[in-house]
Amino acid sequence: MSIETRLAELGITLPQPAAPVASYVAAVEANGLLHISGQLPFVDGQLMTGRLGEDRDVDYGQTAAKMCGVMLIAQIKAALGSLDRVERIVKLGAFISSGADFTDQPKVANGASDLMVSVFGDAGKHARSAVGVPVLPLGAVVEIDAIVAVKSA
């Protein structure tokens, strides 16, 4: 089954990949690895903002992480032309805007991790970091970047 078919089964429609907002590119392919710049969570064009443990809860954060994952997949497709070129999701780096007492960053990052496994199966299983930070660009609640192994053409 193609990844596109799997996305359709999951009811996921990929958005237009977000354009960079500063001096960087969305993706760089080097030595068989695709490095995707950090992606922010959007729902219906609106940025998901806030801080976990202050004005947002874990469920909100997990949804935001999933939406970052959807944007990562959109960036992968834009960079590779086909999601079937994904050999494996190697690593996700999750940055979670959170208060000093909030310690559930790994639970929040599961929103993106679970999505990758749902979409890519065993190839979606990855290494990961989940880090709490005081603030993210544009007030986003979560930002996630990725490293993806690419099948040789």
Side-chain angles (χ1 to χ4, degrees), residues 52-114:
L52 277 289
E54 291 183 0
D55 61 347
R56 300 297 183 190
D57 62 15
V58 171
D59 288 340
Y60 184 88
Q62 287 175 333
T63 299
K66 179 179 180 181
M67 298 316 296
C68 289
V70 168
M71 190 60 77
L72 285 166
I73 294 169
Q75 294 289 2
I76 293 166
K77 183 177 179 184
L80 300 179
S82 170
L83 293 171
D84 294 320
R85 290 192 57 210
V86 171
E87 183 175 318
R88 180 165 198 151
I89 306 300
V90 176
K91 183 170 186 204
L92 296 182
F95 303 90
I96 295 106
S97 179
S98 50
D101 294 332
F102 185 82
T103 59
D104 283 334
Q105 288 85 359
K107 289 180 184 176
V108 170
N110 283 347
S113 292
D114 294 345

Side-chain angles (χ1 to χ4, degrees), residues 2-26:
S2 76
I3 300 302
E4 297 284 344
T5 302
R6 184 71 185 130
L7 285 170
E9 284 182 354
L10 293 169
I12 297 171
T13 302
L14 295 179
Q16 272 298 113
V21 296
S23 298
Y24 63 92
V25 294

